[in-house]
Amino acid sequence: MRKKLAGAVACLTIGAPLLVLVTPAEAAVPAQWQNCTVVNNRLPHGVGRANARDRTSGTPVTNFRRDTALYNTAMRANRGLDRDGDGIACEKA
């Protein structure tokens, strides 16, 4: 039984093309909101709500784009862009 199973696994891994499985959540994220690297190419210091304040122990970021509608669009596409929950997505100092 073990030999048959090992042979089947070897056959599947050697003969089958490599498939990359993408979860439905990953497939649904538009390209412009995939991650902060992509966002920062368009918006160098991130995007935030109009009244957002950066949470930091050092100097807060203030030069992000203030656009509540754009921030909300980003959050609908990918909540992971604002990991600290301060209302600013992909902020960079």
Side-chain angles (χ1 to χ4, degrees):
M1 178 80 166
R2 273 187 159 168
K3 287 182 182 181
K4 287 182 183 179
L5 182 58
V9 171
C11 182
L12 288 174
T13 56
I14 293 171
L18 178 64
L19 298 175
V20 178
L21 300 177
V22 178
T23 65
E26 290 171 337
V29 176
Q32 69 266 29
W33 304 114
Q34 284 291 321
N35 56 49
C36 283
T37 301
V38 174
V39 173
N40 288 145
N41 285 335
R42 291 182 311 126
L43 304 163
H45 299 284
V47 60
R49 293 187 300 240
N51 61 351
R53 302 260 186 260
D54 186 23
R55 292 186 196 153
T56 182
S57 59
T59 305
V61 175
T62 58
N63 55 352
F64 58 92
R65 180 166 172 186
R66 294 177 184 275
D67 187 330
T68 302
L70 189 58
Y71 173 82
N72 289 339
T73 299
M75 292 300 97
R76 279 192 300 275
N78 186 352
R79 285 228 169 267
L81 298 175
D82 186 9
R83 292 178 190 259
D84 59 358
D86 62 357
I88 308 166
C90 301
E91 66 263 33
K92 274 180 27 178

